[in-house]
């Protein structure tokens, strides 16, 4: 689009998470009038650590914010998969051959803080819970629970797995339970029984459980994540220390000790959900991105990375296409085949036989959709 057209374009982004904040940065660099509306009164990111892939870090370099992310993260060179007792299964070097930027390991809270810190003051509006969106063809109107309404030339739904924008305009399908729970905590590296010796991510896998040790050595901490099979699809299930210890039975005794030492009040506990692939992400003036468009299971570590990649692809499309309508079509054509594949691959975390072995006769119906 012409620079003059972009500068006259009013964009409203619903959601100030990774995707929404990244899109706000990328689109504002094009000169568009961007505002972000977030339902929370305070943005706090629960959970633990994630890995930002080289392509994601390269987007930050392109937007001039690489240093802001790098200073609160640790570069990592290797990802290892091991048996429960630490025997090697696979070792992958990252970055892949030919890429010079490293994967960076970062705490989720530090990540969102860094993204929001590079946005202009006043761009993000807190306390705006979306109630409805009206697509008018050449624009859209957002109505919020606080009584305000906003009209924009382009609305971007970056409002997560339970997206109001998606439900109102594109798909009324509910999120799909994976048959797993995720238990996440951040602990001091000093309490990791000597298991954090470098900046490399390690995953221990066996009989229905995966344990991720993701170093955050710039914080002298480690993200300790357990993903375990469980038929309870309650969104925020009640779980005891004994439940956690049962999931790590047979693992390296140091991993068991870390689990035993956890303060349950600091453990983020949730059932793991994604969404089925939806056919259409956009109309002429409204578009979905990130988890709102393609929420996926975390087995491939691609949720946050895909949201940032969406933001970059959307900005590229807005720059290169002749109109908003053409840009949104180009964005979907570019990103949807990629995320459809990632969604499918991420659902292959467990075999049906393994689920039956761990929970005989208790397989949730939704697991059958995992393929």
């Amino acid at each position: 689009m012409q620079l003059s057209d972009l500068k006259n374009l009013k964009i409203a982004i619903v959601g100030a998470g990774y995707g929404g904040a990244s899109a706000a940065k990328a689109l504002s660099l094009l000169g568009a009038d961007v505002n972000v509306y977030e339902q929370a009164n305070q943005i706090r990111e629960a959970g633990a650590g994630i890995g930002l892939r080289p392509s994601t870090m390269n987007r930050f370099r392109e937007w001039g914010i690489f240093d802001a992310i790098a200073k609160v993260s640790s570069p990592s060179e290797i990802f290892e998969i091991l048996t429960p007792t630490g025997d090697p299964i696979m070792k992958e070097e990252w970055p892949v051959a030919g890429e010079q930027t490293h994967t960076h390991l970062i705490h989720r809270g530090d990540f969102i803080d860094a993204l929001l810190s590079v946005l202009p003051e006043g761009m993000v509006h807190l306390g705006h819970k979306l109630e409805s969106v009206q697509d008018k063809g050449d624009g859209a109107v957002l109505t919020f629970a606080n009584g305000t309404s906003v009209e924009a030339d382009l609305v971007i739904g970056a409002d997560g797995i339970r997206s109001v924008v998606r439900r109102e305009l594109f798909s009324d399908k509910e999120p799909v339970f994976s048959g797993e729970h995720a238990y996440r905590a951040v602990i001091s590296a000093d309490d990791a029984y000597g298991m954090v010796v470098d900046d490399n991510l390690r995953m221990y896998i066996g009989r229905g459980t995966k344990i991720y040790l993701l170093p955050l050595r710039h914080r002298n901490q480690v993200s300790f994540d357990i993903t375990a099979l469980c038929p309870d699809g309650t969104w925020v299930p009640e779980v005891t220390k004994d439940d956690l210890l049962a999931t790590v039975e047979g693992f390296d005794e140091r991993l068991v000790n870390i689990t035993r030492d956890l303060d349950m009040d600091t453990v983020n506990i949730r059932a793991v959900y994604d969404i089925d692939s939806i056919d259409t992400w956009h109309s002429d003036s409204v578009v979905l991105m990130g988890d709102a468009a393609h929420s996926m299971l975390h087995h491939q570590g691609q949720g946050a990375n895909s949201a940032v990649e969406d933001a970059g692809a959307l900005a590229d499309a807005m720059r290169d296409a002749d109109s908003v309508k053409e840009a949104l079509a180009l964005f979907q054509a570019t990103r949807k085949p990629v995320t459809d594949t990632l969604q499918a691959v991420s659902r292959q975390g467990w075999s049906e036989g393994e689920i039956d072995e761990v929970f005989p006769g208790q397989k949730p119906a939704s697991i059958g959709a995992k393929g």
Side-chain angles (χ1 to χ4, degrees):
M1 296 174 65
Q2 296 293 322
L3 182 62
S4 58
D5 294 332
L6 287 167
K7 286 188 174 181
N8 290 323
L9 194 68
K10 186 176 181 180
I11 299 177
I13 300 175
V14 183
Y18 311 132
S22 296
K25 182 62 180 179
L27 292 167
S28 64
L29 288 173
L30 296 178
D33 176 12
V34 181
N35 284 276
V36 183
Y37 300 92
E38 166 60 40
Q39 68 174 349
N41 292 312
Q42 180 181 359
I43 298 176
R44 295 179 297 178
E45 187 61 47
I50 54 176
L52 301 177
R53 302 297 179 92
S55 58
T56 301
M57 295 301 297
N58 285 334
R59 279 294 187 183
F60 296 146
R61 194 186 303 277
E62 174 187 331
W63 301 334
I65 63 173
F66 180 94
D67 290 344
I69 306 297
K71 73 179 183 180
V72 292
S73 61
S74 298
S76 180
E77 296 182 350
I78 295 172
F79 169 47
E80 286 189 90
I81 300 178
L82 306 104
T83 68
T85 54
D87 294 323
I89 297 175
M90 189 204 79
K91 179 182 289 189
E92 175 187 348
E93 292 187 6
W94 51 19
V96 297
E99 291 184 345
Q100 300 305 309
T101 303
H102 283 88
T103 290
H104 280 64
L105 307 183
I106 192 169
H107 187 281
R108 291 171 181 267
D110 293 343
F111 183 29
I112 193 62
D113 286 348
L115 283 175
L116 294 176
S117 74
V118 299
L119 298 182
E121 186 175 353
M123 181 177 284
V124 178
H125 308 272
L126 302 179
H128 283 68
K129 182 179 181 181
L130 183 66
E131 284 197 335
S132 65
V133 54
Q134 180 185 5
D135 189 343
K136 300 176 67 176
D138 59 350
V141 178
L142 302 173
T143 303
F144 299 97
N146 61 12
T148 62
S149 63
V150 171
E151 188 164 359
D153 302 306
L154 170 62
V155 164
I156 300 171
D159 50 340
I161 187 171
R162 293 188 279 191
S163 168
V164 175
V165 179
R166 183 183 71 241
R167 185 182 68 238
E168 290 261 314
L169 298 180
F170 300 104
S171 172
D172 60 0
K173 291 182 180 179
E174 293 295 321
V176 179
F177 177 48
S178 68
E180 300 165 307
H181 285 178
Y183 314 119
R184 295 171 171 168
V186 174
I187 64 172
S188 170
D190 299 332
D191 297 330
Y193 291 87
M195 299 196 78
V196 179
V197 296
D198 53 30
D199 293 306
N200 296 320
L201 171 62
R202 291 177 173 86
M203 180 177 74
Y204 300 78
I205 181 170
R207 196 174 180 271
T209 297
K210 295 178 180 179
I211 299 177
Y212 300 84
L213 279 180
L214 187 149
L216 301 166
R217 291 211 300 168
H218 55 287
R219 281 171 156 246
N220 191 39
Q221 291 179 325
V222 57
S223 175
F224 182 72
D225 298 17
I226 301 170
T227 299
L229 290 168
C230 188
D232 177 13
T234 305
W235 199 271
V236 182
E238 294 186 8
V239 175
T240 67
K241 177 71 69 65
D242 287 341
D243 293 330
L244 262 63
L245 286 169
T247 69
V248 300
E249 183 178 350
F251 279 74
D252 186 309
E253 190 61 28
R254 295 171 296 175
L255 297 171
V256 176
N257 287 336
I258 293 173
T259 306
R260 186 176 290 114
D261 292 344
L262 290 175
D263 177 354
M264 292 299 292
D265 290 336
T266 68
V267 180
N268 180 268
I269 299 170
R270 65 179 180 88
V272 181
Y273 282 78
D274 67 357
I275 63 172
D276 290 328
S277 176
I278 61 176
D279 294 334
T280 302
W281 293 358
H282 70 92
S283 64
D284 290 351
S285 58
V286 182
V287 66
L288 300 173
M289 64 170 294
D291 282 353
H294 49 65
S295 181
M296 60 190 73
L297 305 183
H298 59 275
H299 302 309
Q300 303 300 314
Q302 288 285 3
N305 288 281
S306 293
V308 176
E309 290 286 353
D310 283 356
L314 180 56
D316 291 347
M318 294 292 291
R319 180 195 63 213
D320 296 340
D322 292 330
S323 66
V324 171
K325 178 181 178 180
E326 291 181 14
L328 301 187
L330 175 59
F331 165 65
Q332 176 172 316
T334 301
R335 290 295 298 156
K336 193 173 188 305
V338 176
T339 59
D340 280 353
T341 298
L342 287 173
Q343 281 185 294
V345 171
S346 295
R347 281 183 165 184
Q348 296 170 9
W350 310 105
S351 70
E352 195 164 316
E354 184 178 22
I355 295 167
D356 285 336
E357 177 191 357
V358 177
F359 291 107
Q362 299 183 57
K363 184 180 73 172
S366 59
I367 293 179
K370 291 178 69 177

